[in-house]
Amino acid sequence: MTVSPETRREIRRLFDRLDYHRLGPVYCYEGGDEFWQAKRRPCERLGLKLAEALVNKLRRGCRSLYVGAGVTELPCLLAESLELHRQVEPYNLRRAEVAVLNRACQGSGITFRARTAETAQGPFDHLWIVSVLNDPERFPDLSALSYGNANPITFNITRFERQRRMVQSIVNRCLAKLSLPALVTTSVEEVVWIADWCHRHRVPYHVERNYYPTALVGDPVCFVRLGRGLIRKGGSPNMEPG
């Protein structure tokens, strides 16, 4: 299925209602207005492409948990809600961004929550966790290692170990809210965390081959199917329980 013209118009209206002047300091230390002038339409366009891929993989009437959701997630959130009548719960720790998003989303049925997604009450059959586990601001040492930028002379192993435990805690608590079979949307760089959880819990998973570009962070996004029921004919799980 493709995203309907009505949903496309609603996505465009929502992007038009956003207060980009207030969003500037959230995303940039300086030059926020110029940043959004360059990124606004690409963010909308690439988000719509990802939304079209997503709605073809989800069931109607179920629930999605969005971790660290912001402007880039708006097309997917709206498409899920309007096209599939799904309940979407987006969480974002940046209160300034949440305030802007909720003002723009008034009347859409979507409400952003300014708290950790670990407080969400499951179950869900879809988890969105993109560019959260390798966030350079929250996990600078882990992120540097993930992207191959760590300096072997100055790398702080103690800080890295602490950040790794924090990330594993987020993964454990969020994935535990899924009812299998389920779908995880994540960045290619974060797949290792999903795979690690699946191996530890003996859950079969399959990483789809198609990647989708993003406008802001730049990390390509992919889909990971968890549980036998979502592994389609012709595909095979990356891990099978014994």
Side-chain angles (χ1 to χ4, degrees):
M1 64 179 291
T2 59
V3 173
S4 68
E6 293 79 8
T7 298
R8 290 171 178 267
R9 285 194 291 270
E10 184 57 31
I11 291 172
R12 172 57 62 91
R13 283 195 292 267
L14 201 157
F15 271 87
D16 288 343
R17 289 197 296 265
L18 287 171
D19 188 335
Y20 293 98
H21 182 68
R22 289 183 179 273
L23 285 173
V26 175
Y27 283 81
C28 306
Y29 291 111
E30 58 183 19
D33 291 338
E34 293 79 8
F35 173 84
W36 281 112
Q37 285 178 4
K39 295 293 187 178
R40 174 180 173 180
R41 291 311 179 197
C43 186
E44 179 184 344
R45 183 179 68 255
L46 293 175
L48 184 56
K49 289 183 178 180
L50 182 54
E52 287 199 321
L54 181 61
V55 296
N56 283 285
K57 300 176 186 296
L58 296 174
R59 292 171 290 185
R60 299 179 66 86
C62 296
R63 304 176 70 213
S64 289
L65 173 61
Y66 280 70
V67 184
V71 174
T72 56
E73 284 74 22
L74 288 173
C76 291
L77 289 164
L78 277 171
E80 277 202 54
S81 177
L82 298 178
E83 299 289 331
L84 299 177
H85 305 289
R86 292 175 57 90
Q87 179 182 340
V88 293
E89 291 191 19
Y91 289 78
N92 184 331
L93 294 178
R94 296 186 290 196
R95 293 183 177 275
E97 184 176 15
V98 168
V100 173
L101 292 167
N102 281 337
R103 278 195 293 270
C105 289
Q106 286 181 357
S108 70
I110 295 173
T111 302
F112 285 78
R113 296 157 173 82
R115 59 181 185 272
T116 174
E118 297 167 59
T119 63
Q121 298 297 311
F124 301 88
D125 73 336
H126 172 226
L127 172 66
W128 176 290
I129 186 163
V130 174
S131 299
V132 172
L133 307 176
N134 55 2
D135 182 356
E137 293 186 1
R138 190 175 182 188
F139 309 116
D141 299 279
L142 187 150
S143 176
L145 187 62
S146 297
Y147 288 108
N149 298 323
N151 186 325
I153 304 300
T154 61
F155 187 72
N156 190 306
I157 297 176
T158 302
R159 287 201 306 261
F160 167 77
E161 289 284 359
R162 182 169 60 251
Q163 293 165 25
R164 180 168 63 177
R165 288 193 297 271
M166 293 171 64
V167 167
Q168 286 178 329
S169 176
I170 295 171
V171 172
N172 289 338
R173 294 182 181 184
C174 290
L175 285 172
K177 302 178 190 298
L178 293 176
S179 58
L180 302 179
L183 184 74
V184 176
T185 305
T186 191
S187 72
V188 172
E189 287 77 12
E190 292 166 295
V191 166
V192 292
W193 297 103
I194 310 304
D196 174 68
W197 183 90
C198 289
H199 281 286
R200 286 188 286 107
H201 292 81
R202 302 189 67 77
V203 173
Y205 68 96
H206 175 70
V207 183
E208 296 195 353
R209 295 181 179 179
N210 291 333
Y211 298 159
Y212 301 86
T214 55
L216 297 187
V217 180
D219 296 341
V221 171
C222 65
F223 299 108
V224 185
R225 297 180 180 274
L226 275 58
R228 297 180 185 276
L230 276 184
I231 298 174
R232 294 179 174 174
K233 183 178 180 181
S236 60
N238 295 74
M239 188 278 288
E240 289 281 359

